[in-house]
Amino acid sequence: MGYQTGHPDRSGTDDAPTRRCVMRDQAGVSAVEFALLAPMLVFALLAMADLGLALSERMTIGLILRSGAQVATNNGGVTAIDTALRATAAQKMQLATAGASGGDKTLALTVSRFCTCAAQPSVAVICSTTCTSNAPTQVFYALSGQKTYSGLILPRFSQTKSLQVQVR
């Protein structure tokens, strides 16, 4: 009785040495494949979690700005809008001091008011101005929030979200 060696052209005689073909041995292949793929899977998992946290933070900034937009629709003034923004933001994030930019841990909020005439919407005018054809000025509030995101995998980047509300 002959043994087959790793060579298909040999007939397997008794004088041929018996040996196991290393290329056909499957023991441990799964462990090696897992060892090669595991770092990539862990990296992908961390990157997805990091991206999810960044998107969640951006959506929170949008929520804060929308709460200020609700107050802006009453045309209560910059101070009332800023107070509402800060009250909502204080529940969600740390705030930067007024006039400072947002850092890794803090959110910077700004509110401004400007007016335009309907004939020239790109030109800001004094809000007490009477536009052509005795039309009143259009009043807008611009709200913005800025925070720097510093994640595990993602590089540091600035998340800036802004919102413009027309009240008249």
Side-chain angles (χ1 to χ4, degrees), residues 55-75:
L55 290 173
S56 173
E57 194 171 87
R58 183 167 174 83
M59 289 188 321
T60 302
I61 294 170
L63 172 77
I64 293 166
L65 293 179
R66 285 191 302 276
S67 72
Q70 287 178 330
V71 175
T73 58
N74 297 330
N75 200 9

Side-chain angles (χ1 to χ4, degrees), residues 67-68 71-72 75-88 98 109-113 141-143:
S67 72
V71 175
N75 200 9
V78 172
T79 305
I81 297 167
D82 189 54
T83 303
L85 280 175
R86 293 188 176 281
T88 305
L109 297 169
T110 58
V111 179
S112 62
R113 179 181 178 197
Y141 287 99
L143 297 85

